[in-house]
Amino acid sequence: MFTSSTPTNINTSRFAPSPTGYLHIGHAYSAIFAYNKAKQNNGRFILRIEDIDLERSKPEYKQAIFEDLKWLGLSWEHPVREQSKHFQQYKKALDALYKKGVLYPCFCTRKKIRDEQSASASAPHGPEGLLYPRTCRHISKEQRDHNTDNGMPFAVRLDVEKAINLVSGNLKWIEESKGEMTATPAILGDVILARKDVPASYHLSVVVDDHIQGITHVTRGEDLLYATNLHRLLQELLGLHVPKYDHHKLLLDEEGKRFAKRNQSVTIKSLREEQKKSPEDIYEEIGLNPLT
Ligand code: GLU
């Protein structure tokens, strides 16, 4: 459904940060990991700005991403794709999924979902927290129409069971360090594919963009490995290319905790501007050098 103008016979990797804070030392590892994946194969390296969260994304963070990565010695293709400029494409993907009958509107508030989850003795847990209890899956067409006619805001959810039944055979992917993996998208439940405030979601936009940009190697932290179970299902439903995946280890601080954007002392901006570190200091700290 989407034509990709980019070749898929050239190895292409990407680093896809969200400009919702300054990059930290864990991002430096992730960016260089992706960069090296392209360089090892004489391939293309792409930087993508994942800014669909219009409220949390800020121009100064985007600017800092460019400065930090350049300072780290990386270069990437231009123009840089910014997701907030491509909502039409995500809408096209949503429309295609609607036509397949695998989406439904969800009018629930967060509070309503929480109340239902706590009222249920055994609300199943998924990788993103308690699974959505599928309340809006069961409301009548009349009620749905009534709600939409009255302008009630809604998110769009994937009916994961129905979607799984539509695809034939097992969904697989190649995880470079592990080999062939079998996707189990049901573990995520009926995820949101378009939010109430934004006509897209991370899961939807990432699979559409990886296809359009001809990404052959998706590298990202192992905290997102679970998401690939769902991404494979979306790729299959939408007829998108299937890249190879390499989910890398996460860097940990001295206390064994993951670096976070809220921890100002480890932002690349602070390391370079205030602590006067050099790019080489960072390479040493993360144990990775950009290939030349
Ligand atoms: N934008 C995501 C993040 O900043 C990364 C998504 C991905 O690499 O698939 O965590």
Side-chain angles (χ1 to χ4, degrees), residues 104 112-113 116-117 131-136 138:
Y104 63 90
K112 181 159 194 282
I113 298 175
E116 286 208 20
Q117 284 164 336
L131 296 191
Y132 174 62
R134 310 190 82 213
T135 322
C136 286
H138 304 297

Side-chain angles (χ1 to χ4, degrees), residues 14 16-18 27 50 202 206 218-220 224 261:
R14 85 316 192 261
S18 300
H27 291 112
E50 299 211 325
Y202 159 64
V206 81
V218 169
T219 66
R220 57 187 173 208
L224 281 171
K261 279 181 181 163

Side-chain angles (χ1 to χ4, degrees), residues 53 55-56 106-118 132-133 157 192 195-197:
D53 191 328
E55 238 166 61
R56 291 174 58 226
C106 172
F107 303 94
C108 294
T109 57
R110 275 178 206 209
K111 177 167 181 329
K112 181 159 194 282
I113 298 175
R114 264 199 314 272
D115 289 350
E116 286 208 20
Q117 284 164 336
S118 41
Y132 174 62
R157 289 188 182 269
I192 289 183
R195 293 164 31 166
K196 278 184 186 167
D197 57 336

Side-chain angles (χ1 to χ4, degrees), residues 15 17-19 21-25 27-29 31-32 45 47 60-76 261 264 266-274 277-279 282-283 290:
F15 177 57
S18 300
Y22 291 116
L23 297 186
H24 54 64
I25 192 128
H27 291 112
Y29 181 86
I32 297 175
F45 174 64
L47 171 65
E60 61 267 34
Y61 295 139
K62 183 175 82 178
Q63 199 47 41
I65 290 173
F66 298 144
E67 284 164 19
D68 291 344
L69 296 182
K70 200 164 163 224
W71 179 80
L72 281 169
L74 307 191
S75 55
W76 52 89
K261 279 181 181 163
Q264 293 303 317
V266 291
T267 65
I268 302 172
K269 188 175 166 64
S270 144
L271 292 165
R272 71 182 156 86
E273 286 179 357
E274 281 148 45
K277 301 263 188 189
S278 69
I282 310 298
Y283 306 153

Side-chain angles (χ1 to χ4, degrees), residues 93-152:
L94 270 188
D95 289 346
L97 294 174
Y98 260 121
K99 284 206 188 104
K100 288 189 177 275
V102 293
L103 301 182
Y104 63 90
C106 172
F107 303 94
C108 294
T109 57
R110 275 178 206 209
K111 177 167 181 329
K112 181 159 194 282
I113 298 175
R114 264 199 314 272
D115 289 350
E116 286 208 20
Q117 284 164 336
S118 41
S120 132
S122 59
H125 223 283
E128 294 180 337
L130 290 175
L131 296 191
Y132 174 62
R134 310 190 82 213
T135 322
C136 286
R137 173 71 189 86
H138 304 297
I139 60 177
S140 66
K141 179 165 181 335
E142 289 69 35
Q143 184 68 50
R144 262 182 207 170
D145 292 347
H146 174 81
N147 290 353
T148 37
D149 291 348
N150 284 298
M152 211 166 154

